[in-house]
């Protein structure tokens, strides 16, 4: 240190040398952040674009960082289904209104799927293990049992209903995606379909010509409601086949 008092005083009053700014710390990778990123990919690019590498890119990291939290793409599918199921509101089972309750819950699931193009594919061919998805399945089973449906019939009905809802949502998403592209002229409107059906040869397609209006009828989710009604209305008369296999 300098022996000159003036220099020592000046040193005390001098501004400290600027320190290099610390690099911002990256947010830790978590299961919730992986799910958020996966939903972002599906919402903006469609389910076909969903890969572990793409999710990692959204998170600003490499695929290896994700493997500390997931095993593979199937885990992401399970997380997606669970996240969407977490938004489903379950009613208290009412024996007098069980059909309406079943239709309402599945309509909620349908609407969740339709928010993200093609995401219902994640629910196909898998048994959900996410607690949120299991919560919804438990609630649906409770509604059917409250309606007096025999347990095995209820279990099989849940499989059929879930399969239909996933397939319905997938088809709707595919149609909407195709309609966004002007070159997809084969995605026809109702009037064009009726015109084509009624122009078919009468000797080969008599029923199609005669009932073209009925074949193309229905707006919104009319056909969805109709199909769920068919399944639920038949449950009280259905009996599962004997045996377990």
């Amino acid at each position: 240190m300098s022996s000159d008092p003036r220099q020592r005083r000046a040193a005390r009053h001098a501004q400290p040398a600027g320190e290099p700014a610390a690099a911002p710390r990256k947010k830790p990778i978590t299961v919730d952040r992986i799910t958020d990123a996966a939903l972002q990919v599906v919402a903006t690019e469609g389910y076909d674009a969903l890969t572990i590498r793409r999710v990692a890119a959204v998170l600003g990291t490499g695929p290896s960082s994700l493997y500390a939290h997931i095993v593979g793409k199937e885990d992401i599918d399970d997380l997606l289904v669970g996240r969407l199921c977490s938004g489903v509101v379950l009613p208290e089972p009412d024996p007098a209104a069980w059909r309406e309750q079943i239709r309402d819950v599945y309509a909620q699931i349908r609407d969740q799927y339709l928010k993200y193009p093609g995401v219902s594919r994640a629910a196909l061919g898998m048994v959900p293990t996410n607690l949120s998805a299991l919560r919804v399945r438990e609630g649906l089973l409770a509604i059917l049992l409250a309606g007096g449906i025999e347990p095995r019939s209820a279990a099989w009905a849940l499989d059929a209903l879930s399969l239909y809802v996933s397939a319905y949502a997938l088809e709707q998403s595919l149609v909407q995606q195709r309609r966004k592209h002007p070159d997809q002229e084969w995605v026809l409107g109702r009037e064009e379909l009726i015109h084509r059906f009624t122009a078919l040869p009468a000797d080969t397609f008599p029923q199609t010509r005669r009932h073209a209006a009925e074949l193309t009828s229905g707006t919104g989710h009319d056909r969805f409601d109709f199909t769920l009604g068919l399944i639920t209305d038949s449950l009280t008369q259905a009996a599962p086949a004997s045996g377990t296999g």
Side-chain angles (χ1 to χ4, degrees):
M1 179 178 291
S2 171
S3 59
D4 185 335
R6 291 174 299 179
Q7 291 182 354
R8 294 201 300 271
R9 184 182 301 126
R12 288 199 303 269
H13 295 131
Q15 292 293 328
E19 297 181 0
R25 295 181 62 184
K26 287 187 176 181
K27 290 183 179 179
I29 302 299
T30 63
V31 168
D32 281 342
R33 290 192 66 212
I34 291 172
T35 309
D36 290 339
L39 283 173
Q40 180 181 329
V41 172
V42 177
T44 57
E45 305 172 42
Y47 181 80
D48 287 340
L50 183 64
T51 63
I52 290 178
R53 185 173 297 277
R54 186 71 193 92
V55 172
V58 170
L59 292 171
T61 188
S64 59
S65 299
L66 273 60
Y67 285 111
H69 306 275
I70 62 171
V71 176
K73 170 65 164 46
E74 293 77 13
D75 270 359
I76 294 182
D77 287 343
D78 196 47
L79 291 171
L80 289 177
V81 173
R83 174 65 65 83
L84 297 180
C85 284
S86 68
V88 173
V89 178
L90 294 170
E92 185 67 27
D94 182 353
W98 69 271
R99 290 180 178 86
E100 292 79 8
Q101 290 183 329
I102 285 290
R103 295 174 196 176
D104 174 70
V105 173
Y106 273 114
Q108 290 184 62
I109 297 172
R110 173 203 68 201
D111 292 343
Q112 290 284 1
Y113 286 158
L114 292 178
K115 292 178 183 179
Y116 301 95
V119 75
S120 61
R121 282 175 55 188
L124 293 170
M126 65 172 286
V127 177
T129 58
N130 187 281
L131 291 181
S132 292
L134 292 175
R135 175 189 70 91
V136 171
R137 195 167 186 84
E138 170 74 15
L140 287 165
L141 180 59
I143 293 171
L144 290 177
L145 295 177
I149 307 304
E150 185 271 334
R152 189 165 65 172
S153 293
W156 290 6
L158 289 182
D159 285 345
L161 287 162
S162 298
L163 179 61
Y164 173 73
V165 173
S166 295
Y168 176 88
L170 178 58
E171 182 187 47
Q172 293 292 308
S173 295
L174 290 173
V175 170
Q176 292 304 316
Q177 284 180 292
R178 288 164 179 164
R179 282 179 174 164
K180 292 179 182 178
H181 300 284
D183 59 333
Q184 298 289 345
E185 297 179 356
W186 64 273
V187 181
L188 305 175
R190 185 178 183 228
E191 290 185 5
E192 178 63 20
L193 280 172
I194 291 177
H195 174 74
R196 294 194 181 195
F197 287 168
T198 54
L200 291 168
D203 57 339
T204 308
F205 302 97
Q207 304 307 325
T208 300
R209 281 173 55 99
R210 183 176 299 115
H211 302 293
E214 289 80 7
L215 288 170
T216 59
S217 63
T219 59
H221 298 301
D222 287 348
R223 293 185 177 225
F224 177 90
D225 295 336
F226 173 79
T227 304
L228 261 64
L230 280 180
I231 298 174
T232 56
D233 289 346
S234 67
L235 279 176
T236 54
Q237 303 171 2
S242 59
T244 59

